[in-house]
Amino acid sequence: MTATQSGSNLEKVLTAGHFAFTGECGPPKGANVAHLRKKFKYLKGNVDCVNMTDNQTAVVRMSSLAGSALMKAEGLEPNFQMVCRDRNRLAMMSDILGAYALGVRNMLCLSGDHQSFGNHPEAKNVHDIDSMQLIALVKKMRDEEKFLNGEDIDVAPKMFIGAACNPFADPYEFRVHRLATKIAAGADFIQTQCIFNMDKFRDFMKQVVDKGLHERCYILAGVTPMKNAGMANFMSKYVPGMDIPASLIKRLKGVDKRDQAEEGIRFALEQIEAFKEMQGVAGVHLMAIEWEHKVPEIAERAGVLPRP
Amino acid sequence: MIVADRKSLEEILGMVADRDKILILGCKGCVTVCNVGGLKEAEILASTVKIARKKEGRPVKVEHRALERQCDNEYVAQLADSVADYDAVVSMACGVGPQFLSEMYPDQVFFPAVNTTFFGGAVQHGVWEERCAGCGACAIHLFGGLCPIARCAKSLLHGPCGGSSNGICEVHKDTACIWDAIVKKKLETGRLEDLVAIKPFKDWRTARDGGPRRSIREELVKGTI
């Protein structure tokens, strides 16, 4: 993997061969900067960079660009998420330039959840380009220093390019090929969907390694600690593309309600240990959904501190 | 109706470059009305393809026919006896036709010979214009019977943008500004105030934005009429 000159901390951590540990932070449903800064405190020093989500689950929130800039100002490294649902190619290129100008060095390219799942289902979506093309667009802007139309960029955005991968969505046979295409399009790193079915993920990673994809791109395994059996049940039933084995729900149900959060964290810690040993996995992406205050404890117990 | 334009001969020849026996399949529905993909056009395309391939020194067998409609399985089924006789079938229907064909005959390859463009009508002989965007929530009565969703380049709901000039759209010099027409009509009928009220935010769920759509007529499904 060649260096991108992005100046990204995440890239430095990965190229140095460290096991990466990234976090996530949903911006507020309002302009509540204080709330955001509070979340930053839990993440600072415990992760290599933090994903700033972009109207996640198609619910309107503070812009990921503004959230990333605020994060940068607080001394954390943002991973600026961008979805294709809400912007056409002009807005995308303009926001990419703006993000880079504000000091953002990583960005994650996503299609975005359909607006029918969010809080403005009556919205007209954009989807001018898709996530694969967004990856290629950022790469073109970075490496060729050109806009999509071929015009030169005056100071190109040198982004470390991220993409997502869900090994559990159907049809399973196609998943590894889709990942390969994202890497071919220009993804430098991949953050996977939350993993719960470890057997299936092992099988997926074997295909990734057999194809040598892990040598062309850093793959970070997605971990979400379950707060309780109810959350596991809900995700299993209502979140599309989630694969939550019955054994995990049973395990959470098997302990007293007061201890289910601890059991969820224990499972997450076991996963992180497994990922450290798993060939092709370069790190973990911890998505502690509205549970940012648990990140310091999880990082500590996972033995990933101090961060490089 | 659905309006379509035929693809260029070059593109069609490229699609069937490695095929030796082809069926050109027209549709007697919309594409016949807009003179793009009916029996006559299928016959013309068949001859053109034959001549072009002969010139290339790679002669090809080309037959042609037209189905009543390619968007109705009842008619698509009429191809059952002969569909396997060809290396490929070139459909001259709108984009719906080759999909119905592909679904019914998974072992055959169907190429689209036309580009489906819009819902429109003939404004003069040989000229068709877009009139509907299929947004699923018709509101033309609010706009003097004219559709700004389909006919304004920005789908504006509150009058012409700043780029309209002398009744012409800023995007194309040969396109009338539909908002100019709407305003004039309202002025003539003394109902300009209709346009002043702020319209509710449009619910795009009934349009393509809500995902692929489906229309169900229960009484037909149940066979009660």
Side-chain angles (χ1 to χ4, degrees), chain A residues 214-243:
Chain A
H214 64 303
E215 286 163 358
R216 295 166 51 203
C217 180
Y218 301 101
I219 295 166
L220 276 55
V223 171
T224 287
M226 289 288 191
K227 292 175 188 171
N228 49 51
M231 178 181 171
N233 239 334
F234 177 85
M235 285 176 86
S236 168
K237 277 189 190 148
Y238 300 110
V239 183
M242 282 284 166
D243 182 347

Side-chain angles (χ1 to χ4, degrees), chain B residues 57-76:
Chain B
R58 295 186 309 118
V60 57
K61 277 187 188 162
V62 188
E63 292 173 13
H64 72 277
R65 64 182 282 195
L67 296 181
E68 201 62 33
R69 286 195 295 277
Q70 292 187 24
C71 56
D72 222 322
N73 280 327
E74 184 188 336
Y75 300 112
V76 174

Side-chain angles (χ1 to χ4, degrees), chain A residues 1 13-14 16 27-28 52 59 63 65 79 99 125 133 142 152 159 198 215 220 224 231 244 249 251 275-276 285 291:
Chain A
M1 283 169 262
V13 168
L14 287 164
M52 183 54 74
V59 169
S63 79
L65 178 52
N79 182 15
N125 58 41
Q133 292 166 331
R142 180 187 71 193
D152 291 337
M159 293 287 188
M198 293 294 280
E215 286 163 358
L220 276 55
T224 287
M231 178 181 171
I244 300 172
I249 299 174
R251 175 172 165 179
F275 293 137
K276 283 181 188 169
H285 176 54
W291 227 18

Side-chain angles (χ1 to χ4, degrees), chain A residues 15-66:
Chain A
T15 49
H18 298 295
F19 189 74
F21 199 63
T22 59
E24 190 151 309
C25 182
K29 281 172 80 175
N32 191 341
V33 177
H35 176 72
L36 203 50
R37 289 199 177 120
K38 197 174 163 191
K39 287 192 191 179
F40 292 161
K41 279 201 181 110
Y42 300 121
L43 294 157
K44 195 172 179 180
N46 294 315
V47 290
D48 303 316
C49 84
V50 181
N51 287 29
M52 183 54 74
T53 55
D54 183 12
N55 290 337
Q56 62 186 101
T57 62
V59 169
V60 180
R61 289 167 180 276
M62 183 194 289
S63 79
S64 58
L65 178 52

